[in-house]
Amino acid sequence: MSKNAFPARRLMRPGTLALALAAALATAEAPVARAQVNLPALGDSVSEDLDINAENRLGERIMMEIRQDPDYLDDPVLSDYIRSIWQPLVQAAQDAGYLEPDRARLFAWETFEVREKSINAFALPGGHVGVHLGLIAMTGSSDELASVLGHELTHVVQRHIARSMAAQKRQSMLSMAGMVLGLIAATHSRNVDAANAVVMGSQAAAIQSQLNFSREMEREADHIGLQLMERAGFASSGMAQMFQKLEASSRLNDSNQYPYLRSHPLTIERISDARLRMNDSPSHRPPSVAVHALMQARARVLMDTGEMSLRRLQQQAQPGSPAIDTARLGALYAGALASMKLREFEQARRIADSALSLAREHFADEAAAVRDLNLLNLEIEVAMNRPDQPLATALAPLAKDDSRPVLLARADAALAWQRAGDAAAPAEVRRAMEALQTWVTEHKNDTLAWQALSLCAEAQGLRLRSLRAAAEVAATQGDTAGAVDRFRTAQRLAKQDPNADYVEMAIIQSRLREMEAEKRREQDEDRN
């Protein structure tokens, strides 16, 4: 999909935003009295001080800025994998009674990737959790990744951010949002010294008074996160293994690559506690050793697309290694993806074929691994750059898969073949458009799906539907003004067309009213 179709403003790096948010929260965490040790239970006074609607709005305002950053990433394949771990954890929180129905329904419960090499993950208000690609590349199993996601989920379900802010009751949610957005503006000005001064000053003011408070929150996140892991079917050993890996790696060479350890201090007590609570129960999730190796490899490629890094990954995939293991499978997959990024398509094809052969021969018990190797943009991307190959042949490996990555890949392929003049492409574009329309009905905040729907509708000559989908793209990105402008344009177009679809016109009118109301609310908040 063309990156220029929906350009994003360059604001700041999400890693910087996470640091700015942490600094802002640290300022809010500085109470007049000594921080309490016994954390409030759900339903305590924190709910009265900072209601979940306000917390949700704060999360939306922060995400509005993050989504416009070029290092914000929604890679369909990686996102699909992370959500396959995240959603069972969220369900476990509901089943265990940690997550009441109102918040389960209101919060986004969204994960997203950040194009950063550093080892980090962070939770934001409203159920948003960011995962750095460096963390995915560093974890050795889905259980280890689940331990981090379970920890971050606990920060949300136990309302640790709201608790911190409640410690200083004069600090409202909206002024909190203003503080975060002010830090974003400081960074956007390129005045790094000024931004760092704000961050470091607020951290220094709060560090002593909040040390015990933060440790108590970390212990709670560990304890409940471990419970959620086990309830969701992941092996509890994943948390202890993750702690051991973080401890060993950071001790040998930190080099600022482990911000997770600074925002989540790894103490001897935390490591010991995780080992004591760990049991011998294995993971009850479907086998995922090979699949996780593929995701590690994909993260390594996406987090650094410079030519030198891609050449190194390509070289590691060359013949010569006698090993037949997940590391070799990952190396082959990374090499194929790197070759794609370098636009060396025949090389990509050869390495991808080797990866497929290895998976089918040695990882036959993991059917998902073979499936994923077919859909992870290898077969389809290579085929899209071979105009001599018919569209039907390129799409054949994806015929029985209706997952989000495949839905988007089929749309991309159909559009590419239509541009190339394939006679079968227009019908496939229409099928992709209809499938996307069904998808967004259930997944209203899926930016990539709305983008693909807009492009497919435009290719079909359905200008009204294309404009409406483009308006929804702006809405999902938090660009309320842009959404209003596009809905108004669609409304004018509908009025000029006597054959305009009545249902589409009604939807546009309804969404325009909603977006105009949202724009007024945002303006009121900004004035206040």
Side-chain angles (χ1 to χ4, degrees):
M1 189 173 299
S2 173
K3 293 183 178 179
N4 295 323
F6 300 91
R9 287 188 293 127
R10 288 197 65 92
L11 289 179
M12 61 184 297
R13 299 178 73 80
T16 309
L17 176 57
L19 180 58
L21 177 63
L25 292 176
T27 304
E29 287 171 358
V32 176
R34 182 178 176 83
Q36 60 188 32
V37 175
N38 298 318
L39 295 177
L42 290 175
D44 213 309
S45 61
V46 66
S47 298
E48 300 172 7
D49 293 331
L50 301 165
D51 65 69
I52 60 174
N53 289 291
E55 185 177 347
N56 188 55
R57 287 199 302 273
L58 174 59
E60 290 174 353
R61 293 296 294 272
I62 296 169
M63 286 304 300
M64 178 176 68
E65 299 297 335
I66 289 180
R67 290 191 186 101
Q68 296 178 77
D69 191 288
D71 284 340
Y72 167 86
L73 184 65
D74 177 10
D75 176 74
V77 176
L78 270 180
S79 295
D80 199 50
Y81 178 63
I82 294 172
R83 287 167 189 160
S84 74
I85 299 173
W86 172 253
Q87 290 301 332
L89 293 169
V90 174
Q91 186 61 54
Q94 288 184 260
D95 296 342
Y98 290 115
L99 183 55
E100 67 275 19
D102 285 346
R103 272 195 303 153
R105 181 176 60 256
L106 181 64
F107 281 12
W109 307 114
E110 169 193 7
T111 61
F112 59 94
E113 302 90 65
V114 180
R115 198 189 302 274
E116 284 279 354
K117 295 181 182 179
S118 56
I119 314 301
N120 204 7
F122 52 92
L124 297 172
H128 306 275
V129 170
V131 182
H132 286 203
L133 293 182
L135 176 69
I136 302 170
M138 177 257 212
T139 54
S141 68
S142 59
D143 296 317
E144 291 181 10
L145 184 54
S147 74
V148 177
L149 293 176
H151 183 103
E152 297 304 324
L153 174 60
T154 304
H155 282 316
V156 179
V157 299
Q158 293 301 98
R159 302 199 66 198
H160 286 166
I161 296 173
R163 291 181 188 180
S164 300
M165 294 172 63
Q168 188 176 4
K169 294 185 179 181
R170 291 174 298 177
Q171 185 71 40
S172 71
M173 291 295 283
L174 292 180
S175 64
M176 186 68 228
M179 184 183 301
V180 173
L181 295 176
L183 286 164
I184 293 172
T187 306
H188 183 43
S189 71
R190 309 302 185 197
N191 189 338
V192 178
D193 291 338
N196 287 341
V198 173
V199 171
M200 297 308 296
S202 56
Q203 286 178 327
I207 189 168
Q208 185 59 51
S209 61
Q210 282 303 298
L211 185 59
N212 293 333
F213 196 47
S214 297
R215 284 178 177 171
E216 193 68 20
M217 286 183 176
E218 292 305 314
R219 282 195 291 270
E220 184 176 54
D222 287 344
H223 296 171
I224 296 177
L226 189 62
Q227 293 176 33
L228 299 182
M229 280 184 67
E230 293 175 340
R231 184 179 280 269
F234 296 100
S236 59
S237 59
M239 181 173 286
Q241 290 166 356
M242 190 66 192
F243 282 170
Q244 291 167 0
K245 186 172 292 186
L246 284 167
E247 180 189 31
S249 298
S250 62
R251 185 177 63 247
L252 291 173
N253 181 24
D254 186 342
S255 302
N256 293 319
Q257 291 298 300
Y258 293 85
Y260 193 74
L261 296 182
R262 286 183 278 282
S263 59
H264 302 71
L266 186 60
T267 62
I268 296 298
E269 290 84 359
R270 287 184 68 197
I271 298 173
S272 300
D273 198 35
R275 288 171 178 164
L276 288 172
R277 292 174 180 272
M278 181 181 70
N279 57 50
D280 295 329
S281 63
S283 173
H284 298 295
R285 310 293 303 172
S288 62
V289 175
V291 176
H292 189 78
L294 298 178
M295 298 302 101
Q296 282 184 292
R298 191 173 187 88
R300 286 198 298 271
V301 174
L302 294 177
M303 71 186 183
D304 187 353
T305 55
E307 183 175 358
M308 289 184 62
S309 295
L310 294 176
R311 290 291 179 196
R312 183 172 61 252
L313 292 171
Q314 189 184 55
Q315 184 63 34
Q316 291 170 358
Q318 297 304 313
S321 171
I324 304 297
D325 54 16
T326 55
R328 180 60 182 163
L329 181 64
L332 287 171
Y333 178 57
L337 282 179
S339 298
M340 286 301 308
K341 296 289 184 184
L342 293 165
R343 302 190 63 78
E344 297 175 0
F345 303 117
E346 290 306 316
Q347 178 83 323
R349 166 66 65 184
R350 287 194 296 271
I351 300 175
D353 287 345
S354 297
L356 286 165
S357 297
L358 178 62
R360 289 168 179 153
E361 183 176 356
H362 295 279
F363 299 95
D365 57 331
E366 290 195 48
V370 176
R371 184 205 70 179
D372 285 338
L373 274 169
N374 276 283
L375 69 86
L376 298 185
N377 291 342
L378 289 178
E379 294 283 339
I380 195 68
E381 287 185 28
V382 172
M384 284 168 64
N385 290 277
R386 292 182 61 190
D388 58 309
Q389 185 175 34
L391 174 63
T393 302
L395 295 179
L398 314 177
K400 297 181 180 180
D401 197 320
D402 59 357
S403 65
R404 178 176 182 257
V406 168
L407 185 70
L408 296 170
R410 290 183 71 93
D412 276 348
L415 289 167
W417 260 265
Q418 181 163 314
R419 289 191 294 269
D422 191 302
E428 185 60 40
V429 170
R430 175 166 287 279
R431 281 192 290 270
M433 182 182 68
E434 292 170 352
L436 287 163
Q437 187 67 63
T438 301
W439 176 267
V440 296
T441 301
E442 297 294 327
H443 304 85
K444 293 180 173 60
N445 295 318
D446 192 333
T447 302
L448 291 184
W450 282 114
Q451 288 177 347
L453 177 58
S454 179
L455 293 172
C456 287
E458 185 177 13
Q460 290 282 303
L462 301 174
R463 180 62 176 159
L464 190 61
R465 185 176 295 192
S466 178
L467 272 173
R468 182 218 159 181
E472 297 291 0
V473 170
T476 61
Q477 293 176 329
D479 182 8
T480 307
V484 168
D485 289 344
R486 288 172 175 82
F487 277 125
R488 285 176 178 168
T489 301
Q491 186 183 54
R492 288 194 298 270
L493 180 66
K495 290 179 179 179
Q496 295 168 3
D497 184 1
N499 299 316
D501 186 290
Y502 176 78
V503 174
E504 198 73 29
M505 289 174 61
I507 294 172
I508 290 169
Q509 184 65 35
S510 174
R511 291 291 289 137
L512 176 58
R513 287 195 298 267
E514 291 174 3
M515 286 293 100
E516 286 175 334
E518 177 66 18
K519 184 178 178 180
R520 288 193 296 270
R521 186 181 67 78
E522 289 179 0
Q523 289 171 341
D524 289 342
E525 287 182 358
D526 291 341
R527 281 194 296 269
N528 292 333

